[in-house]
Amino acid sequence: MSEGISEGTVSNGRGRLAGRRILLGVSGGIAAYKAPLLVRRLRDEGAEVQVVTTANAERFVTRTTLQAVSGRPVRSDLWDEAAEAAMGHIELARWAELVVLAPATADLLARLAAGRADALLCTLRLATRSPVLIAPAMNVAMWEHPATQRNVETLRRDGCLFVGPDEGPMACGEFGPGRMAEPEALLERIVRHFATGERPRLDGRHVLITAGPTREPIDPVRYVSNHSSGKQGYALAAAARAAGARVTLVSGPVALSPPAGVETIRVTTAQEMHDAVLERVADCDVFIGVAAVADYRPADVAPQKLKKTAGRSGGMTLSLVENPDIIAAVARHPERPFVVGFAAETENALENAREKRARKQLDLIAVNDVSDPTIGFESDRNALTLIWEGGERRIDRASKEEVANALLALIAERLAGR
Ligand code: PMT
C-alpha cells in the first residue's frame, strides 16, 4: 500500500485529542486484533497515530490494516534504512507525546523491564522522555506468574503507567485477569491523561511520604499490625519522583522494592516512623501520610516468647497504650509543610474524614472507603474522594499509579495557589 492511503478518520483539528502525537506499540498477542479499532478511535478524536509493531504482532494483525487506519506507514524494524532516513528512531521517540503499548505481551514486559534495546519498540521506549502507558494482555497464569509481576513492578518503579488488564473470559478458555483493556476504555484513559495533565510537575519540591503498616511488638515473635501493603504509598513516591520532586519515603515493613531515585527509610514501629518523619519534616514542602499507623501498641513488650500457659484462665488481655499521632505532629510543626492525610474508613466515610481533617488540621484528606474489598488495602486498584477547605474531588477507581498521579495533580494545583 502506498503511503498516505487511509481508512481512518482524517485528523480534523477537532476532538478531545486534536493534534496529539501518539506512538502505539503493538506486540504479538491475540488482543492485537483490538489495535486497529483503538487507532481508529484515537484518530476520530483528532490524534496523529504512529504504529510500531514487534516482529510477532503481524502474526495477529496485518501491517496493511494498521497502515490503513493510521494513515501512516507502520514501523517495525530498527534497521529499515528507508524508514530511518524519513524519521530516525530517536526523532520518532521525541515526536511522541505519549507512548501506548497495547497489547503488551509477557515477553514485551520482560524485555522492557530488562531495558533491552535490540528491537525498534524497546529502543523507542528507552529513547522517549514522554510517558509510557502499558495495556498488558496475556493468559491468566502468565499474568499472575511471579516473573511477570516482578517485571510489572520494575516498570511501575521506572514510572510506566498501566491500564488493565481486565478480568473476564479469555481466548485461551480461562477466566481471570489478563484481558487487554477494551479500546474504548483505553481511549478514555488517554483522553484523561491529556485532559488532566496527569503528569503533574513538582520540580524543586521535597515530598515526604509514609507508607505501609507499622508493627507493634507483643513479644519477640508476635505483633499488632494491619493489611497495608504499601502499594499506594510506593506508587505515590514513584509518581512524585517522576514529577520532578525529591522524594523521601518512610516505609513500614512491606514486600516492595524501593522506587528508583527515592530515598527510602525502613522502620517497623509507629514510634520509629514518628521519629524518622519528625527528623526530616522541617526540610520538606509536602507531607503525605499514606501509612496505616497503629493507633495503639502493647503497653509492655515481653522479653521472651509468651507461653500459652500465660493465659491460664482461658483468655488473655493485652493492655495497649496510645502511639504518637505522626501527621498531627507534622501539622503542628512550626515549619509546617503542605499536609495531606489519608483516611481508611469502613462506614460514614466522608463524614468521618471531614472530622479527621479538621481535628488533625490537614490541608487535604484522601478518603479511602475500604468497605469495598476490591480497592484500598492490598489491592492494585484504588478510588478516593479528596476533601480540602472549600472543595471536594472524586478520583474514580483506577490503578494505584493513576490514582497517585491524579492526587499529585491536585497537590501541585493547591501548592501553586498558596
Ligand atoms: O498500603 P495499601 O495496601 O496500598 O493500602 C493503602 C491504604 C488503604 C493503607 C491507604 O490508602 C490509606 O487509606 N491509608 C491511611 C490508613 C489509615 O490508617 O488511616 P487512619 O484513618 O487510621 O489515619 C488517618 C491519617 O492519620 C493517615 O494519614 C495516617 O497515616 C495518619 N496517622 C494515623 C495514626 C497515627 N498514629 N499517626 C498518623 O500519622
Side-chain angles (χ1 to χ4, degrees):
M1 179 176 285
S2 62
E3 268 189 55
I5 296 178
S6 171
E7 285 291 318
T9 311
V10 175
S11 174
N12 54 13
R14 289 192 297 272
R16 294 177 297 166
L17 295 171
R20 293 298 188 181
R21 300 183 306 275
I22 297 171
L23 192 151
L24 175 66
V26 181
S27 61
I30 182 67
Y33 80 88
K34 297 179 183 173
L37 192 56
L38 175 61
V39 176
R40 182 145 200 164
R41 292 295 293 116
L42 291 169
R43 296 203 71 214
D44 286 346
E45 293 288 354
E48 292 178 49
V49 183
Q50 172 65 57
V51 178
V52 176
T53 54
T54 63
N56 285 332
E58 290 174 42
R59 293 174 189 265
F60 296 91
V61 60
T62 70
R63 170 177 284 257
T64 314
T65 306
L66 290 167
Q67 180 162 317
V69 288
S70 67
R72 287 168 168 262
V74 171
R75 298 281 300 265
S76 56
D77 187 358
L78 192 52
W79 308 108
D80 179 337
E81 284 179 18
E84 281 290 311
M87 195 198 284
H89 61 275
I90 298 292
E91 220 179 314
L92 186 55
R94 289 189 189 133
W95 171 89
E97 288 177 272
L98 175 69
V99 174
V100 179
L101 304 177
T105 59
D107 182 61
L108 181 63
L109 296 182
R111 297 166 72 84
L112 296 173
R116 301 274 298 250
D118 54 352
L120 181 61
L121 192 53
C122 294
T123 307
L124 287 168
R125 174 267 174 159
L126 286 183
T128 189
R129 291 190 196 281
S130 296
V132 177
L133 176 66
I134 302 179
M138 67 200 72
N139 158 273
V140 184
M142 289 170 77
W143 171 251
E144 289 176 345
H145 196 283
T148 303
Q149 289 304 311
R150 263 198 314 275
N151 293 331
V152 169
E153 197 202 320
T154 300
L155 291 167
R156 283 197 162 124
R157 277 195 282 123
D158 289 349
C160 293
L161 305 166
F162 278 79
V163 54
D166 289 350
E167 201 170 282
M170 307 193 53
C172 56
E174 291 190 41
F175 186 95
R179 285 164 62 105
M180 187 177 104
E182 291 303 322
E184 207 54 43
L186 261 164
L187 172 75
E188 290 310 317
R189 175 69 185 78
I190 292 166
V191 167
R192 198 146 38 92
H193 171 86
F194 285 113
T196 61
E198 279 180 69
R199 272 297 168 112
R201 295 310 309 169
L202 287 166
D203 302 275
R205 304 285 193 178
H206 180 197
V207 180
L208 178 60
I209 299 172
T210 63
T214 63
R215 279 183 191 167
E216 311 300 328
I218 298 170
D219 67 17
V221 299
R222 303 183 180 92
Y223 53 80
V224 176
S225 192
N226 58 65
H227 292 293
S228 172
S229 63
K231 287 179 185 172
Q232 185 62 78
Y234 276 57
L236 264 161
R241 181 74 198 99
R246 172 157 81 89
V247 183
T248 306
L249 177 64
V250 179
S251 171
V254 296
L256 305 173
S257 319
V262 169
E263 185 199 6
T264 305
I265 295 133
R266 302 251 190 213
V267 297
T268 304
T269 64
Q271 186 63 54
E272 288 169 10
M273 189 174 271
H274 171 272
D275 296 349
V277 165
L278 270 276
E279 224 174 87
R280 291 164 179 83
V281 71
D283 175 41
C284 77
D285 303 291
V286 180
F287 173 79
I288 312 177
V290 195
V293 185
D295 288 321
Y296 295 92
R297 66 175 183 276
D300 300 301
V301 182
Q304 304 300 334
K305 183 182 170 195
L306 290 172
K307 299 279 181 272
K308 201 173 174 186
T309 48
R312 275 183 212 284
S313 55
M316 183 181 173
T317 304
L318 204 55
S319 174
L320 301 174
V321 292
E322 203 170 338
N323 268 327
D325 192 317
I326 302 167
I327 207 164
V330 170
R332 281 194 308 267
H333 195 275
E335 290 166 80
R336 172 199 162 103
F338 185 83
V339 187
V340 182
F342 269 67
E345 301 289 345
T346 54
E347 54 178 354
N348 304 326
L350 295 183
E351 205 178 302
N352 287 342
R354 284 190 197 106
E355 180 279 324
K356 213 170 261 184
R357 192 186 82 79
R359 178 165 43 85
K360 299 197 182 204
Q361 297 182 25
L362 311 179
D363 295 300
L364 177 64
I365 198 158
V367 191
N368 222 159
D369 183 348
V370 290
S371 63
D372 176 349
T374 64
I375 59 165
F377 288 108
E378 294 177 310
S379 166
D380 286 331
R381 300 174 79 70
N382 213 354
L384 300 174
T385 303
L386 310 180
I387 303 177
W388 64 96
E389 186 65 50
E392 287 191 15
R393 183 181 294 176
R394 177 88 191 137
I395 303 176
D396 287 331
R397 176 190 300 263
S399 70
K400 283 185 171 166
E401 290 68 33
E402 291 177 65
V403 166
N405 276 309
L407 171 57
L408 289 176
L410 179 66
I411 293 173
E413 215 177 288
R414 304 289 305 156
L415 280 175
R418 266 167 48 123

